[in-house]
Amino acid sequence: MITSALQTARKAYQPKLPPVLRQGPGAVKLQLGAPTESIADSQKVRALFPLTYGQPVAEFVAGATASGGPLTVGVVLSGGQAPGGHNVIAGLFDALKAIHPDSRVLGFLGGPSGLVEGKFIEITASLLSGFRNTGGFDLIGSGRTKLEKAEQFQKARAVLEKNGAGAVVIIGGDDSNTNGAVLAEWFKAQGSMLVVVGAPKTIDGDLKTPQIPTSFGFDTAAKTYAELIGNIERDARSAKKYWHFIKIMGRSASHLALEAALQTQPNLVLVSEEIAQQGTTLAQLTVQIAQLVDARARAGKNFGVAVIPEGLVEFLPDVKKLIATLNDLLAHEGPAFEAAPDQAAKEALLRRHLAAEVAATFFALPAAIRGQLLLDRDPHGNVQVSRIETEKLIAEVVGAELVRMGSKAKYSALTHFFGYEGRCAAPSNFDADYTYTLGYVAALLVQGGRTGYIASVSHLTKGNDHWVPGGIPLTQLFNIERRHGEDKPVIRKALVELDGAPFRQLAAHREAWAKGEEYVYPGPIQYWGPAEVCDATTKTLELEQG
Ligand code: FBP
């Protein structure tokens, strides 16, 4: 593979470990705290996880650990790409080799399905050397197969045992770690000594608890989007003739849109969680945005920048109801819809099934958006929000509203979607260090036999010299939620909190941002240079952690 000059130089970057890990695994010991409770529904969660519930929080502190024998550990990348995944594997590999040179890492191919089907490669030092500090998951690939059935667990166990592995590290988001906890419990219930350890991954930033301040990839993705938004802002204030509507990835939670906005201070950022709380309908939101466009036009500013979170449509109560109805319909009338030759035929079917109010919402949408709402669902039966052009929807309905209200604004809208652009960017120094540490910690948790744990690092904002590595029992992150008509134990998805510091920061400033051009230009991620430029964390983390 031909590598760029930056890639070549970046290969030599040695991620920074927290001080306690710098002397290697022999100089660190596991310290266990008090037993834990799940964040909610503790009795129900305890009943579902009788063998792994309530384990203590683990912290790594200076001290001697007897050197053990070689360990063989499987590793799985699960779900969407996030910058730093390769460094988790690098940290895992280096720690295991430091524990014993004969340790091995088996990289399961294509996500959880690789574990079930026994498809893997052995990670070697030379193979890994080309992937250190790189973005992407292409070393072993990823997938969205859900590991949730006993039959899959049985196969995974057979694969791990056959290949001499004593543990598997699952690098994933809330769903994958939920399943990891179930797998850990199942192994124990079967009398197996296999250890399951997780690592918090997702650019969306919605796997977050007081103990896990951020998931990896969020930092790099947000900085990538912020760079692009900053560039667009500079263009907007230079050309002064376009309104830019920019959709930012992040599925349900608006963390990425909010973070990118805090870094760039656009004229408008929508926060889905606030819209849901206020019950704002699409029509009401349209009027609000049109009024902003009109007000700026009256001030002689026929330009602006608006940031829209990817999941917005699912938070507008009227569109949410429509999507839920469509999800049900597609689940139950799937074959009929598939047989319909084109969108017109599908819509004719819908006219027969939808209640008047829901049909009105659907048919008021532009045809392209209607088509996108009918596309295939993801493996969980949810609409794939990355494929819905919400930015175009908003640009179009705002244009129509301006006409309706007789605005004199010269409205020319451009739309953008920044999503995949950020998912595989070369990890920032923060993500490179954080992920390497997470991998290293995962190896130590495996060595300590801590099954049902997720690797964690706390005190992340204070600089790497202050990071505290440890492990959080997964059951501590659980609550019970209603999913597809059933009560399920799941890791709670962390949405933007409207009383949280990042949102409050936005609320305090957005009026000024709307009127003026208080744009900020973060520029591209820097890998070398002053620490305040290269090693800064996100505003979200800074504000949340104080
Ligand atoms: P994960 O939650 O698995 O990390 O994936 C996040 C994400 O990037 C979302 O932001 C986005 O909506 C989705 O994946 C896109 O999925 P796909 O890769 O299937 O297009």
Side-chain angles (χ1 to χ4, degrees), residues 68-91:
L71 298 166
T72 297
V73 178
V75 63
V76 177
L77 289 164
S78 183
Q81 282 69 246
H86 290 150
N87 269 22
V88 180
I89 299 178

Side-chain angles (χ1 to χ4, degrees), residues 317-327 329 350-351 353-365 370 373:
D318 45 347
V319 187
K320 182 179 175 182
K321 189 168 174 192
L322 165 67
I323 290 175
T325 313
L326 289 178
N327 287 352
L329 260 180
L350 279 181
R351 277 188 198 280
H353 284 99
L354 294 182
E357 184 201 354
V358 179
T361 309
F362 183 75
F363 287 104
L365 295 170
R370 297 204 302 269
L373 284 173

Side-chain angles (χ1 to χ4, degrees), residues 79-80 144 201-204 249-251 310 385-386 420 423:
R144 292 198 184 274
K201 172 236 71 163
T202 178
I203 61 163
D204 298 355
M249 205 174 234
R251 205 194 303 265
E310 185 180 63
V385 280
S386 62
Y420 299 95
R423 283 208 317 193

Side-chain angles (χ1 to χ4, degrees), residues 467-491:
W467 289 6
V468 177
I472 305 298
L474 281 162
T475 56
Q476 194 185 5
L477 313 181
F478 273 69
N479 68 165
I480 302 286
E481 287 177 21
R482 200 93 186 135
R483 297 267 172 104
H484 303 295
E486 273 180 70
D487 277 351
K488 289 262 180 200
V490 293
I491 294 177

